[in-house]
């Protein structure tokens, strides 16, 4: 399967090397002629034959309380990373909350299986090094569609690499790291099953995924309060009403 998959994606990339039509060009996505074939590979091969069946099976055999505990556990492992990045972003309040969450959930919450911290008003705030680079002024860079991993950007890919070398991930053995990654991937895919209709109904699923990704990144970068674009001064409201 892996060998055939690599051949398939290689052929798709070759097929996608043609010039992108002007109507589809996007300055955020200069590698679109490569990204689209990789997206097709992810959806037509990896998702169809591996990830989605695994997610469906996971939902079928795993009780909701157990799924919630696994999500809490993986979130707790990442809490020190959230704390460090919050500090680097100049958010001492969020850093303190992440530290408190880790201490409470690792002890009273039994290694993070139960989110006791949230019941105490310590809500989870996701902070990663990609966001940190954004706060420091780094742009998104090129949009990337990664095999098996999905959408990213040059900035966020760099951030992911850095985060994976920060405790506690570095304290885990290789099998444990793979297990945590697999749990996150399957749970993330399972959470998307209810929204599959939106993707299937979109005129261009690739563009739909890209736009949603950038909206989410902007939302997270500004902690849920992205800047509102102002309309130009010469905007003609009468023209809009006439359409």
């Amino acid at each position: 399967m892996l060998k055939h998959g690599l051949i398939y994606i290689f052929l798709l990339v070759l097929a996608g090397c043609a010039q992108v039509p002007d109507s589809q060009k996007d300055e955020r996505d200069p590698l679109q002629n490569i990204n689209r074939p990789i997206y097709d590979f992810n959806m037509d091969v990896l998702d169809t034959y591996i990830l989605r069946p695994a997610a469906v099976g996971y939902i079928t055999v795993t009780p909701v309380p157990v799924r919630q505990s696994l999500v809490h556990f993986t979130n707790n492992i990442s809490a020190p990373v959230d704390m460090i990045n919050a500090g680097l972003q100049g958010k001492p309040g969020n850093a303190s909350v992440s530290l408190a969450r880790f201490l409470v959930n690792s002890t009273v919450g039994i290694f993070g299986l139960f989110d006791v911290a949230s019941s105490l008003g310590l809500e989870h705030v996701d902070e990663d090094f990609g966001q940190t680079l954004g706060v420091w002024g780094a742009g998104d860079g090129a949009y990337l569609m990664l095999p098996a991993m999905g959408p990213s950007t040059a900035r966020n890919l760099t951030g992911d690499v850095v985060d994976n070398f920060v405790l506690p991930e570095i304290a885990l053995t290789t099998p444990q790291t793979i297990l945590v990654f697999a749990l996150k991937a399957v749970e993330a895919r399972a959470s998307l099953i209810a929204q599959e209709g939106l993707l299937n109904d979109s005129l261009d699923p690739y563009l739909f995924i890209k736009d949603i990704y950038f909206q989410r990144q902007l939302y997270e970068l500004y902690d849920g309060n992205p800047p509102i674009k102002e309309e130009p001064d010469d905007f003609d409201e009468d023209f809009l009403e006439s359409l």
Side-chain angles (χ1 to χ4, degrees), residues 27-31 35 128-131 133-134 138-146 149-161 209-210 213-218 221:
E27 62 180 10
R28 303 172 302 176
D29 190 6
L31 302 176
N35 286 333
D128 57 56
F129 196 68
Q131 294 176 41
L133 291 174
D140 290 311
Y143 177 72
L144 304 172
M145 181 60 65
L146 304 176
M149 297 180 65
S152 185
T153 60
R155 185 186 73 199
N156 287 341
L157 179 59
T158 301
D160 290 340
V161 171
I209 290 292
K210 179 169 62 176
Y213 178 80
F214 275 109
Q215 289 175 25
R216 180 182 176 186
Q217 294 308 303
L218 189 64
L221 180 61

Side-chain angles (χ1 to χ4, degrees), residues 72-102:
H72 296 328
F73 174 75
T74 56
N75 284 342
N76 191 59
I77 286 178
S78 300
V81 176
D82 295 331
M83 178 192 69
I84 292 172
N85 280 300
L88 292 174
Q89 294 171 31
K91 303 174 183 176
N94 286 357
S96 299
V97 168
S98 294
L99 175 60
R101 282 182 57 83
F102 183 71

Side-chain angles (χ1 to χ4, degrees), residues 26-52:
D26 183 347
E27 62 180 10
R28 303 172 302 176
D29 190 6
L31 302 176
Q32 186 175 167
N33 58 339
I34 296 176
N35 286 333
R36 278 185 177 272
I38 293 177
Y39 170 81
D40 291 338
F41 170 74
N42 285 346
M43 297 302 295
D44 296 343
V45 178
L46 296 182
D47 190 72
T48 299
Y49 296 106
I50 300 176
L51 194 52
R52 192 181 190 283

Side-chain angles (χ1 to χ4, degrees), residues 112-192:
L113 291 175
F114 301 96
D115 187 7
V116 179
S118 288
S119 65
L120 300 177
L122 301 170
E123 297 294 337
H124 174 240
V125 180
D126 182 32
E127 305 283 7
D128 57 56
F129 196 68
Q131 294 176 41
T132 298
L133 291 174
V135 171
W136 289 352
D140 290 311
Y143 177 72
L144 304 172
M145 181 60 65
L146 304 176
M149 297 180 65
S152 185
T153 60
R155 185 186 73 199
N156 287 341
L157 179 59
T158 301
D160 290 340
V161 171
V162 172
D163 284 336
N164 286 333
F165 283 95
V166 177
L167 289 173
E169 277 86 349
I170 199 172
L172 301 177
T173 64
T174 299
Q176 289 171 334
T177 301
I178 294 174
L179 177 60
V180 170
F181 176 81
L183 285 173
K184 288 182 177 181
V186 173
E187 178 59 42
R189 182 60 183 88
S191 67
L192 293 175

